[in-house]
Amino acid sequence: MNQLEKILENDEDGMGTYEYIVNNVDTCESVLPELIENLKRVDRTGQFLASTARFLNAVDCDAFSSYLPPLIEGAIGKDRERRYIGSLLEAIWGHDYMERASELRLTDDNFRRIYKRIYPAADAGSLGHNI
């Protein structure tokens, strides 16, 4: 059994998968889809999905851009208590996301979903969405 298979098999909460990505970011792109699927399966709170999205975005947002949506979507779905998804707003969309919130809510579904959960009063009725 290789190192990756052992990590995936023994990972109960996503921490092992997250650590593997961090420690092998330069060489693991070919297995990122498998690693993301494992995170979506084992991360019960969205903590490691959100952390992985923030990490990959910080390392190289262009190179990892296709991997960010499934990580963000997974974090949104798992983080019912809004403990981790709020950190994605600035990390993914920039420190000026509040100034661009109106535009981002119209153009980016993941931003809109997080924004609505983090700032429900500010978003109430503004776009007519019921998600």
Side-chain angles (χ1 to χ4, degrees):
M1 177 180 300
N2 71 32
Q3 179 189 12
L4 178 59
E5 289 172 342
K6 187 181 287 188
I7 289 168
L8 295 178
E9 182 179 299
N10 295 320
D11 193 358
E12 296 180 5
D13 62 2
M15 185 172 169
T17 303
Y18 172 73
E19 287 178 342
Y20 182 86
I21 292 168
V22 169
N23 293 330
N24 298 283
V25 70
D26 295 328
T27 59
C28 72
E29 188 169 359
S30 66
V31 293
L32 268 177
E34 182 179 358
L35 294 168
I36 291 169
E37 285 305 312
N38 193 63
L39 282 172
K40 288 164 60 176
R41 183 178 55 80
V42 299
D43 185 354
R44 294 183 250 0
T45 64
Q47 175 182 5
F48 297 107
L49 287 156
S51 293
T52 303
R54 288 192 318 267
F55 174 75
L56 292 177
N57 189 69
V59 168
D60 190 335
C61 62
D62 293 328
F64 295 114
S65 65
S66 65
Y67 302 106
L68 298 178
L71 288 165
I72 295 167
E73 291 162 8
I76 292 168
K78 301 275 184 153
D79 187 8
R80 293 293 171 202
E81 296 177 15
R82 300 176 302 242
R83 293 171 54 189
Y84 309 106
I85 59 174
S87 68
L88 292 172
L89 292 170
E90 185 172 339
I92 303 296
W93 291 280
H95 68 280
D96 63 340
Y97 75 89
M98 284 300 282
E99 288 123 36
R100 300 179 303 118
S102 294
E103 170 197 338
L104 289 168
R105 287 184 300 172
L106 293 172
T107 60
D108 191 311
D109 190 50
N110 283 330
F111 179 87
R112 181 188 57 76
R113 290 175 64 204
I114 295 171
Y115 188 87
K116 184 174 183 172
R117 292 202 24 220
I118 301 299
Y119 303 106
D123 198 56
S126 65
L127 297 175
H129 294 285
N130 288 329
I131 292 179

